[in-house]
Amino acid sequence: MSLRARQNGGGTVRKGGGRGNGNGSPGGRGNNGGGGTTWNSADKDSDITLSGSNLVASMLGGTTGKVRTTTSKTVGADSNIYQVEILIGGGGGGIYPYIGLAQAGAPVTTEPGFDATSWAWSGAGAHTRNNNAIVDFISGCTIGDYVGLTFNLSTGALKWYKNGVLQATFGASNSLTGTWFVTVGSQSANPVNVNYTLNATGPFVHTVGGATAWG
């Protein structure tokens, strides 16, 4: 499989607000309080705790695991590009955020990107991962960053954004197929607490042009 990394540019992003404050609060923006996709309390590792109407997933330093969303998207179901936005928060520097997509069969006891059925951006390692292998090196992400994901159901392309700037694309000759959930997590080398605030319904701080909210 191939992944094409793009550090700057690619796609139109409309900026709708300031940066986050790193504590799990989305910088004064709206969230999913009116209903929609949340983190799934029945589909997570026991080291992950949920709060804020299941929109905030938190992990202590030194723990490993992932959580999936309550809803998924299937390639070929329609031709839309779907977006989510995740604010990274935590207890200090040196965090190990992992953010991406996972299928239902990916074990929750490992971090995203550890197995063949999940893809992730490793924020501390500054690379994308699949099947416990580095796919491509890109920039890192950390506390206060808004990580955007878009998933094109027509082509199977997955894109990662940081604060509105495209970082990497998976999906050219080798695109994703099947059904995928948004996933976040970390691994035991992470020295500090980390949390992820999910926004799947918008409005987004950084809206990708042509995309619609995951829902």
Side-chain angles (χ1 to χ4, degrees), residues 11-157:
T12 302
V13 177
R14 297 190 297 275
K15 186 174 181 179
R19 286 172 61 81
N21 54 24
N23 64 3
S25 300
R29 299 289 295 169
N31 57 25
N32 302 48
T37 299
T38 67
W39 300 123
N40 191 342
S41 61
D43 193 14
K44 68 178 185 65
D45 184 77
S46 59
D47 288 324
I48 297 175
T49 60
L50 303 183
S51 60
S53 301
N54 290 345
L55 294 175
V56 182
S58 302
M59 298 184 70
L60 296 176
T63 59
T64 300
K66 69 169 70 71
V67 59
R68 276 180 284 258
T69 48
T70 52
T71 65
S72 60
K73 300 297 182 187
T74 301
V75 176
D78 58 51
S79 58
N80 292 330
I81 301 171
Y82 289 98
Q83 177 183 358
V84 301
E85 190 171 64
I86 296 165
L87 171 62
I88 303 173
I95 66 169
Y96 281 60
Y98 289 78
I99 300 172
L101 296 180
Q103 295 190 300
V108 296
T109 53
T110 59
E111 71 271 18
F114 184 84
D115 51 87
T117 53
S118 66
W119 283 82
W121 177 8
S122 170
H127 58 258
T128 53
R129 294 186 69 82
N130 172 251
N131 205 21
N132 201 30
I134 295 173
V135 178
D136 205 357
F137 287 98
I138 59 175
S139 67
C141 56
T142 189
I143 293 171
D145 285 335
Y146 286 92
V147 174
L149 294 178
T150 62
F151 190 28
N152 188 324
L153 298 194
S154 178
T155 65

